[in-house]
Amino acid sequence: MLKLVESMREDHPARPCLVLSNDPSAVGLARAASLGVTTVAVDHKPYGEDRELFEAELNAHLERANTDIICLAGFMRILTPSFMEKWAGKMLNIHPSLLPKYKGLNTHARALEAGDTQAGCTVHEATAELDGGPILCQARVDIEPGETADSLAEKVLRLEHQIYPATLRRFAAGDRLRRDWKSDAT
């Protein structure tokens, strides 16, 4: 989230209007506020199983902020199909695997267990399908001998910090073509 906010300067076609979290203790809220971005926390816990009511509150904040694009970054709640439909074509997500491989959690451990020689990350349009939607960008790293899930996660995170801001820039400018990231950064 911070890399996205920091990237939206000068000639960037987008500006951060709101950082919204379902975790009131999220460290990113204070960091975003220190950068002058409006922040809101909508704790999902008081809503219990009523996901629609929770999402209505999210929508109210997003609409009040005149949100054009939503960038999911560490928002670990599955959103309902009706929420996803409302924001269809306007929501991005980053996932720490080379989708469609390893949707969901524990992606790095799963890549290592499978004996993969490469891993990476994917920016995609978020849809009602978990970790689905059109792929906009992927970046790859080699899995080295002796790699651990933690060391692989660190390498992939460095790539995420590069490709998510770059993909947001393209997306906000209307470019929705798939690109593979060309970088020797690992």
Side-chain angles (χ1 to χ4, degrees):
M1 176 273 302
L2 284 175
K3 295 296 183 186
L4 293 172
V5 168
E6 291 168 350
S7 76
M8 289 185 264
R9 297 189 176 143
E10 299 166 8
D11 68 339
H12 198 289
R15 292 290 177 266
C17 62
L18 176 67
V19 170
L20 179 61
S21 176
N22 67 303
D23 179 1
S25 66
V27 175
L29 291 170
R31 291 180 178 164
S34 75
L35 294 171
V37 180
T38 301
T39 62
V40 174
V42 179
D43 189 349
H44 64 276
K45 293 174 190 159
Y47 295 92
E49 297 296 316
D50 194 342
R51 292 170 53 191
E52 286 81 11
L53 191 59
F54 166 68
E55 290 173 357
E57 184 69 16
L58 296 179
N59 270 319
H61 289 287
L62 292 166
E63 289 171 358
R64 228 181 340 266
N66 294 313
T67 303
D68 295 318
I69 300 170
I70 297 172
C71 295
L72 299 173
F75 193 85
M76 299 300 287
R77 303 286 304 163
I78 295 176
L79 298 162
T80 64
S82 61
F83 183 92
M84 300 305 289
E85 183 178 313
K86 176 177 178 38
W87 294 98
K90 300 177 181 180
M91 190 179 318
L92 302 180
N93 189 29
I94 189 151
H95 185 71
S97 79
L98 296 171
L99 292 174
K101 277 185 151 184
Y102 313 124
K103 295 179 179 187
L105 301 175
N106 304 314
T107 59
H108 308 300
R110 290 162 61 197
L112 293 171
E113 288 168 11
D116 291 355
T117 59
Q118 287 191 320
C121 52
T122 304
V123 178
H124 63 95
E125 286 189 48
T127 64
E129 178 189 351
L130 178 67
D131 297 326
I135 293 173
L136 300 171
C137 189
Q138 286 189 318
R140 298 173 182 276
V141 295
D142 290 332
I143 297 177
E144 304 296 334
E147 194 89 62
T148 66
D150 288 340
S151 66
L152 184 55
E154 288 176 27
K155 287 167 55 172
V156 170
L157 182 62
R158 286 193 296 272
L159 283 177
E160 289 181 23
H161 288 168
Q162 295 174 51
I163 74 166
Y164 207 1
T167 304
L168 171 60
R169 175 183 286 271
R170 287 190 307 101
F171 188 84
D175 180 351
R176 294 175 182 214
L177 296 176
R178 179 181 174 150
R179 307 260 197 263
D180 287 326
W181 186 256
K182 305 291 186 215
S183 172
D184 58 358
T186 56

